[in-house]
Amino acid sequence: MNREEMSPRQRWLAAIRLQLVDRLPFWPKLDAAYPRAQAGAFRGATLGELHAWIGSDVHEWIRPVFREVRDRTSIEVSTQGNLCHTAYRTPVGETALVTRFDEASQAWHPVQFPVRAREDVRMMTAWFEDTAVELDPDALAQVAARRAALGEGGLLCSSVGESPLMRWVEWIAGVENAHFFLADYPDEVEALFAAMHRVLLDKTRVEAAHNPVDVLYLTENTSTTLISPAQYERYCLPQIRAYGQVAASYGRLLALHMCGHLKLLLPALAELPAHAFEAFTSPPVGNTRLAEGRAACPDKCLIGGTNAVLWTTSADEIIAEIERDLDALPHHRGIAVTSAGVMPPLCDPTTIRAVCEWVKGYPVRV
């Protein structure tokens, strides 16, 4: 058995393919909000500097290489203060998404959704039906340059997008109206889903054919706190299967970012042609532990295994829970330990580093 030291990229790729690793990958998911909340030298550090100090196995996202083009419709984005207004203009009317920037989280959050009335569904359908997808040479050059610069120092990934139901819930109608409109006007909403699905299939083809990243992602944010298992099987499972089949036809690795409650979806998730589930979150933030995921999905890499609440405790407590969950597994192929969701800023970098060192020394069972 060859257990020589691997590069971070080799380690990640082996874990995603359920192959032997020299040790478990470890990756705390730090975002722009994290260093701003720290003290001393950590506050002014870049994310790259923080990961280097912690000893992370870098898992990095970069832009996709497609662009959208349209003939009869348009999109216009304008920002004023902390509000961003995205206007969707179509021959049958205009609607808009409004998001607000939150300083603490350094993120944009929707405050007005583009679908607020029945006619808005038709507008968004017209907008997606007019959307064509093509390769963006400038984006491809940027990604290729970053792939070369990162080298073996980390895994480079790109998100193709989000399947229709989840995008509908999160960005187009909002949680409540998403379910009301789907119940009241199923034919019209399903026509919108069909148009969205065609666009995402086209994006998947472009990404799979041209993007030089290591892994393609679907940013699903799946959770049974937002949708039901029946809805997942009807509106997500067939669609994601289609994207996975396109990725597989090009020999590409596909991962799903799913950061919510997954326990009731495990039988469906086992059927998907995906290689990894990322942000696999334990209780109390999620509801599924690694052993449950491994039992239901024996051929999937599980990336996560912790939760944000756990990371607000001491290093000893974090290590004890991770050790318990790792010890419960039949083997450690296809496991990567991460913060699952975004690392809470309340967790000090020294705590993360201590956990990282412990994970690096954990005896891997194959």
Side-chain angles (χ1 to χ4, degrees), residues 192-356:
L192 170 58
F193 287 178
M196 295 169 69
H197 176 59
R198 192 269 307 164
V199 172
L200 193 51
L201 266 178
D202 290 346
K203 290 179 177 180
T204 305
R205 291 188 185 98
V206 172
E207 290 294 289
H210 299 286
N211 199 323
V213 295
D214 298 306
V215 179
L216 300 178
Y217 260 86
L218 290 171
T219 308
E220 290 295 283
N221 298 326
T222 306
S223 179
T224 52
T225 58
L226 298 174
I227 62 172
S228 71
Q231 288 174 321
Y232 190 87
E233 292 193 11
R234 180 170 181 177
Y235 296 115
C236 296
L237 188 62
Q239 291 80 358
I240 295 175
R241 182 182 289 118
Y243 313 138
Q245 289 168 346
V246 170
S249 71
Y250 287 90
R252 304 304 300 268
L253 295 173
L254 178 68
L256 308 181
H257 168 81
M258 301 185 294
C259 49
H261 287 207
L262 301 179
K263 185 179 293 187
L264 296 178
L265 301 178
L266 289 175
L269 298 180
E271 299 180 23
L272 291 174
H275 296 84
F277 301 150
E278 185 268 328
F280 200 83
T281 308
S282 61
V285 181
N287 71 342
T288 319
R289 294 201 177 271
L290 290 174
E292 296 167 316
R294 175 54 69 237
C297 305
D299 63 340
K300 313 298 183 190
C301 175
L302 305 178
I303 303 172
T306 66
N307 66 85
V309 172
L310 178 63
W311 286 96
T312 64
T313 63
S314 69
D316 288 343
E317 291 172 287
I318 298 167
I319 289 169
E321 183 161 319
I322 294 174
E323 183 174 28
R324 183 193 68 199
D325 285 354
L326 291 177
D327 287 351
L329 292 168
H331 60 79
H332 298 117
R333 296 188 304 276
I335 297 293
V337 179
T338 80
S339 55
V342 172
M343 178 65 71
L346 187 60
C347 184
D348 188 271
T350 58
T351 298
I352 304 174
R353 186 176 183 177
V355 176
C356 177

